[in-house]
Amino acid sequence: MTDQPNTPAPLKLPTLSTARIETLADGVFAIVMTLLVFDMRVPTQEQVDAVGLGQALLALTPNIISYVISFIILGVYWVGHHNQFFYIRRSDRTLLWINILYMMFVALVPFSTGLLSRYGSDRLSLIVYNINLIAVGVVLYLHWAYATRDGHLLGHTLDAKVDRLVRRRILLAPSLYFLAILVSFVSIAAADLLDVLIPILYVLPANFDSIFRGRQDR
């Protein structure tokens, strides 16, 4: 009886825990969301003496609106990133760097928000703000697409219908922010209104929530 040659076992790429990724994301989002409030400064005594406290506070309206909108949309992107890790249970070097890229664009939001609140009547400030949020959304999509492409980073079986639903939901915001840029060439006020409505679309209850409802965490 001849010896059969040993067939080498298929090479498995090493995978890592996702705990450090989630911890970093939580920390970055916490810092970035806190930094947003720094664009709102208490009126100085000189301002109050000149126009009164009411008028001085009223002058902060663009800052307050930009703060609220950006805080909510960052919350939406944090929830989206967090929800992905219901399925993603392992990581590798590529996923780590996709997350670094994601955090880089998230960390830029206080700057683009401050630019928008200070120069909101200038179309360029709105374009910069929307490009920033488009970049965050596109990288979040890349994060999901890479992690689910062959299933090796997943801890749960992913239904094709769920995958399509997640992809559409992630891409909705970048698509609308791109639309807002186009609309800004016709009406900056209409583009601003669209930027206000986009976070609301994600905060309102949706059928998408049923994917995670009633499922136990790790």
Side-chain angles (χ1 to χ4, degrees):
M1 184 177 180
T2 59
D3 293 334
Q4 296 293 329
N6 292 328
T7 303
L11 179 64
K12 292 184 178 181
L13 295 176
T15 57
L16 309 168
S17 168
T18 64
R20 297 290 294 275
I21 293 177
E22 295 175 84
T23 300
L24 174 63
D26 289 346
V28 170
F29 271 97
I31 293 171
V32 170
M33 294 169 84
T34 301
L35 287 175
L36 288 175
V37 79
F38 290 164
D39 194 47
M40 294 187 295
R41 299 185 181 278
V42 176
T44 64
Q45 187 63 53
E46 290 76 11
Q47 291 174 313
V48 174
D49 291 341
V51 298
L53 182 58
Q55 286 296 321
L57 289 174
L58 191 61
L60 287 174
T61 300
N63 303 70
I64 296 172
I65 294 175
S66 297
Y67 163 75
V68 172
I69 295 171
S70 296
F71 196 96
I72 294 175
I73 196 61
L74 281 174
V76 167
Y77 278 129
W78 177 83
V79 170
H81 187 260
H82 171 72
N83 282 346
Q84 287 193 16
F85 284 96
F86 175 83
Y87 288 100
I88 303 171
R89 296 300 177 85
R90 293 175 290 277
S91 178
D92 60 15
R93 183 178 176 84
T94 301
L95 194 72
L96 291 175
W97 280 105
I98 292 174
N99 274 274
I100 293 296
L101 185 63
Y102 182 65
M103 295 301 118
M104 183 183 75
F105 287 122
V106 166
L108 193 60
V109 172
F111 168 77
S112 62
T113 300
L115 194 67
L116 182 65
S117 64
R118 186 168 302 181
Y119 304 104
S121 60
D122 190 315
R123 183 183 297 109
L124 183 58
S125 69
L126 188 142
I127 291 174
V128 170
Y129 178 75
N130 282 272
I131 287 177
N132 187 181
L133 294 179
I134 289 171
V136 176
V138 168
V139 178
L140 184 62
Y141 178 84
L142 177 62
H143 183 262
W144 176 257
Y146 175 76
T148 59
R149 66 173 185 171
D150 57 10
H152 77 287
L153 299 180
L154 303 183
H156 295 283
T157 301
L158 180 63
D159 183 84
K161 181 179 179 180
V162 172
D163 186 30
R164 289 193 299 270
L165 182 60
V166 172
R167 289 172 186 260
R168 286 199 300 267
R169 187 170 176 85
I170 295 173
L171 288 177
L172 176 61
S175 301
L176 292 176
Y177 284 122
F178 180 72
L179 177 61
I181 292 176
L182 298 181
V183 169
S184 72
F185 287 93
V186 179
S187 170
I188 292 179
D192 286 336
L193 179 60
L194 187 54
D195 280 344
V196 171
L197 294 177
I198 292 171
I200 296 176
L201 292 176
Y202 283 86
V203 173
L204 293 175
N207 292 334
F208 178 82
D209 298 329
S210 63
I211 295 174
F212 305 99
R213 188 178 298 127
R215 293 184 171 181
Q216 294 181 350
D217 200 356
R218 277 177 274 206

